[in-house]
Amino acid sequence: MAYQGGYPPYGAPPPQGHSPQPPYGQYPPPQQPYGQPPPGQPAYGQPPPNQYPPQGYPPQQPAYGAPPPAQYGQPAYPPQQPPYGAPQPYGSPAPPAGQYGQPAYPPQQPGYGQPPPPQQYGSPAPGYGAPPPQQYGAPQQYGAPQPYVQPTPPSMGYGPPQQIAWNGDADAEALRKAMKGFGTDEKTLIRVLADKDPLQVNIIRDTYQRKFHRQLIADVQSEVSGWFEEGLCAIIRGPLLTDIHLLKGATDGPGTKEKVLNDVLLGRSNADLRAIKEAYLKTYRTSLETDIKADLSMKTERHFLMVLAANRNEESTPVVPQQVDQDVMEIYKATEGKVGTDELLVCSILSQRSDAQIRAIAHTYKQKFTRDLETVIIKEFSGHMEAALLHQLRTGTDKAMRDAMLLEGAMAGAGTHDALLTNRVIRMHWDRNHMNNVKGAYQHKYHRSVVSKIKSETSGDYEKLLVAALGER
């Protein structure tokens, strides 16, 4: 399904006759996630009252083709753009209250562990858990001590163990029955595991061991094989243990799987990175930094050590225009504004700024130099560092489109990179709101559904598992 309304290509200036670019120093707001229920209704996956507290990813980035903000003097955070799949004509007047940005998907039943619904139309759109955005020109100097900001909470499955009011006995028994005796009931394995959140998976895994004195993952590995096994094991391990399993595989043996390092480590919150480092050390009795140093070299090694320091600005940190201006000029002087490139300065900025700050940097760079920052990175960098910087930049500018492009990258060209495809789908499926955003972004960019593309590239139980993980059949 193609977009309606004639959106310009990503990064292009708006067509003549449409709304002008926002004045210098105002930034595009975070987008209401595509397919989000209207305000006042629980987001897809939101826990019922008195259930375990919400965790998950911060709000999503602006959609491709989002209209520019209003004229100077109006609020710096204009109304949100409708979701992918239900756009309004570019530059059209806002519809009556209560109708703008209706969800592209019917409202879902509440589930576990998703963040609260986004702000109401027309209200400020701070990051998840953030204070109201700081006014332009507020008296805060670049480099001055930052006020206390609320840390971004860990994603579900990365925080301390939680007790939830959910019983896994029936699912554990169904899994054991599916694998007991002659043959395997693959349909039951998919049905039981594909739609569970990380906390439910933990309960099923523990219940299975308690009731049958057997390891669920060992039984699955003995019954199935190939990429179907890989996908099921990624679900059973849960997101955190899967991350450290992939990192160990990426740094063991000859060569390094750079794409795996990018997928697992880049664009993550400080809380998630600290959980990954702690679990890696506990499991493998060596620090992740030690293994990264042994496998990477020179400036790429230093880039990833910056990332592993886990000292990004939190998402609730205000976006200060003076700091954004200085970051933009530093990036320009380190790339286009000199002979040669100061790679580590650019790495430092993109590794330490929050997603909202990166979004403001990209927006201001385009205003100031009439070039996309993404284009500059592609021109000035190459190899693993180029891919890593693009991953960090796209996390800030449009995380859903970033992941849509990663899925396409795993399936494009001759053959399918099944290891990347499997783990990218399973990683996305833990956050159902984000998953729906990725599906909308993929449809917008590639003019077909990601599920149809996966069906054309995979087969058998492996195909059925990936499709089920994406919430379809």
Side-chain angles (χ1 to χ4, degrees):
M1 178 183 69
Y3 255 40
Q4 304 297 320
Y7 282 92
Y10 177 53
Q16 295 296 319
H18 290 298
S19 301
Q21 284 292 322
Y24 181 71
Q26 296 188 11
Y27 313 122
Q31 157 111 10
Q32 172 174 321
Y34 331 124
Q36 191 72 278
Q41 294 190 18
Y44 179 65
Q46 176 71 19
N50 303 320
Q51 298 283 348
Y52 58 88
Q55 299 186 44
Y57 294 92
Q60 301 302 319
Q61 287 74 31
Y64 278 51
Q71 295 285 337
Y72 185 83
Q74 296 184 5
Y77 294 85
Q80 306 295 318
Q81 182 73 1
Y84 273 137
Q88 297 288 335
Y90 193 93
S92 63
Q99 297 180 15
Y100 190 90
Q102 291 298 312
Y105 306 92
Q108 306 293 327
Q109 290 298 319
Y112 291 98
Q114 297 298 329
Q119 298 287 331
Q120 188 172 0
Y121 170 74
S123 64
Y128 181 50
Q134 184 156 329
Q135 300 264 337
Y136 182 84
Q140 182 165 1
Q141 305 261 337
Y142 177 72
Q146 295 284 336
Y148 173 78
V149 293
Q150 181 68 30
T152 304
S155 304
M156 183 185 290
Y158 293 80
Q162 297 184 28
Q163 299 296 322
I164 62 173
W166 190 80
N167 189 300
D169 286 5
D171 285 332
E173 290 168 1
L175 291 171
R176 180 66 189 130
K177 182 179 178 182
M179 295 183 285
K180 190 175 182 180
F182 182 75
T184 305
D185 182 355
E186 290 86 356
K187 288 184 180 179
T188 296
L189 298 182
I190 295 170
R191 175 182 59 79
V192 171
L193 292 171
D195 64 347
K196 299 301 186 291
D197 69 32
L199 303 186
Q200 292 171 322
V201 166
N202 288 344
I203 289 179
I204 292 173
R205 191 176 59 237
D206 293 344
T207 302
Y208 191 93
Q209 183 175 7
R210 173 175 52 80
K211 289 178 73 72
F212 306 113
H213 307 288
R214 303 173 68 93
Q215 297 288 335
L216 176 57
I217 197 164
D219 281 357
V220 167
Q221 288 172 329
S222 70
E223 293 289 331
V224 300
S225 61
W227 298 114
F228 181 48
E229 174 194 340
E230 180 83 6
L232 287 176
C233 288
I235 293 174
I236 294 167
R237 290 188 185 100
L240 177 57
L241 294 183
T242 294
D243 279 352
I244 66 170
H245 173 79
L246 292 173
L247 289 171
K248 190 63 175 174
T251 55
D252 259 358
T256 304
K257 300 178 179 66
E258 290 90 353
K259 291 180 180 178
V260 174
L261 298 183
N262 294 354
D263 284 358
V264 175
L265 295 176
L266 300 181
R268 304 298 294 266
S269 69
N270 294 331
D272 285 4
L273 283 173
R274 290 172 189 138
I276 289 169
K277 292 196 296 180
E278 181 180 343
Y280 193 95
L281 178 61
K282 181 179 179 181
T283 302
Y284 301 115
R285 298 292 188 265
T286 184
S287 72
L288 180 55
E289 290 91 339
T290 298
D291 283 352
I292 290 292
K293 287 179 183 178
D295 242 60
L296 299 179
S297 62
M298 302 178 67
K299 293 179 180 179
T300 304
E301 172 195 331
R302 293 176 66 184
H303 184 191
F304 273 82
L305 291 179
M306 291 177 191
V307 171
L308 289 174
N311 61 0
R312 290 185 72 191
N313 293 340
E314 301 289 353
E315 287 307 314
S316 55
T317 304
V319 177
V320 181
Q322 293 91 335
Q323 180 177 343
V324 171
D325 290 343
Q326 179 144 346
D327 285 342
V328 166
M329 289 308 302
E330 292 287 348
I331 292 174
Y332 175 78
K333 289 187 291 185
T335 55
E336 297 184 284
K338 64 173 288 187
V339 177
T341 303
D342 187 346
E343 294 95 341
L344 290 178
L345 179 56
V346 181
C347 293
S348 176
I349 291 172
L350 293 184
S351 298
Q352 293 178 2
R353 302 297 179 259
S354 69
D355 289 347
Q357 291 168 334
I358 291 172
R359 183 161 55 249
I361 288 167
H363 174 76
T364 304
Y365 197 100
K366 176 67 178 293
Q367 281 192 319
K368 200 172 187 71
F369 300 110
T370 64
R371 281 180 296 282
D372 289 319
L373 186 51
E374 180 162 326
T375 302
V376 174
I377 290 174
I378 292 171
K379 177 184 176 183
E380 298 285 336
F381 295 85
S382 61
H384 187 193
M385 186 172 285
E386 175 193 338
L389 290 172
L390 288 175
H391 191 110
Q392 291 175 302
L393 175 63
R394 291 166 179 167
T395 301
T397 56
D398 193 337
K399 185 178 177 183
M401 188 60 77
R402 178 204 74 183
D403 284 353
M405 295 170 71
L406 289 174
L407 289 178
E408 176 65 15
M411 296 183 284
T416 300
H417 304 284
D418 293 289
L420 290 175
L421 177 62
T422 302
N423 287 295
R424 285 170 177 175
V425 168
I426 299 304
R427 181 175 295 109
M428 282 191 314
H429 105 289
W430 295 120
D431 184 341
R432 295 284 164 159
N433 285 336
H434 176 62
M435 181 186 73
N436 283 334
N437 293 335
V438 174
K439 288 159 70 175
Y442 191 98
Q443 179 78 46
H444 169 55
K445 185 170 181 65
Y446 301 108
H447 308 293
R448 66 181 298 183
S449 75
V450 66
V451 169
S452 72
K453 182 63 179 284
I454 286 175
K455 287 182 175 180
S456 72
E457 296 287 330
T458 60
S459 61
D461 295 318
Y462 169 44
E463 171 199 324
K464 293 173 185 175
L465 175 64
L466 296 187
V467 170
L470 291 172
E472 300 191 27
R473 294 184 178 180

